[in-house]
Amino acid sequence: PLTAGYKFLSAGRFSLAASAGGQVNILVKGKTTTHVNTDYRVSAHTHGIKPVYFSLLTGITAEMTLKRGLSLTLGPTGQFSMSSVNKSSSVKTRPNYLNLSAGVKLKL
């Protein structure tokens, strides 16, 4: 992904930053599993799926500084598909995700 961020609030040891950007999603391998009653089928190749689709990303990150150069981060990120993943279909599938990430930030 390619994102840009902006710190919009800083108060003592705490800060908030917003970010936005985009990414290219590439399908490396596809497999379809189908369950109908007791019938179970696996297809080695999924037909009708685009090999590439595009998404937008947006998020907010909270940061708490523990000491100089070391802080904790926490924030949700949303990923929103800008193009469908399927082709030649009457119903377009656009995967959207909401992630929550936490981490340790070390500034050298």
Side-chain angles (χ1 to χ4, degrees):
L2 178 62
T3 61
Y6 177 73
K7 188 182 289 189
F8 62 90
L9 178 67
S10 187
R13 298 179 350 159
F14 298 95
S15 65
L16 287 175
S19 62
Q23 73 179 22
V24 177
N25 304 284
I26 301 169
L27 179 64
V28 177
K29 183 177 180 184
K31 181 171 78 169
T32 303
T33 303
T34 308
H35 299 273
V36 178
N37 295 329
T38 58
D39 191 19
Y40 177 79
R41 295 180 186 181
V42 176
S43 172
H45 180 71
T46 304
H47 299 281
I49 302 293
K50 293 179 183 176
V52 175
Y53 70 96
F54 302 93
S55 298
L56 290 179
L57 302 168
T58 184
I60 294 179
T61 302
E63 185 174 330
M64 181 179 78
T65 302
L66 300 175
K67 63 180 188 175
R68 184 180 171 110
L70 182 65
S71 58
L72 298 176
T73 62
L74 177 68
T77 302
Q79 178 180 335
F80 309 99
S81 179
M82 296 306 296
S83 58
S84 66
V85 297
N86 50 352
K87 56 185 174 183
S88 304
S89 175
S90 60
V91 177
K92 300 296 182 190
T93 303
R94 297 175 189 261
N96 298 312
Y97 304 99
L98 182 61
N99 308 307
L100 181 63
S101 60
V104 177
K105 187 176 189 180
L106 179 62
K107 293 180 184 177
L108 300 175

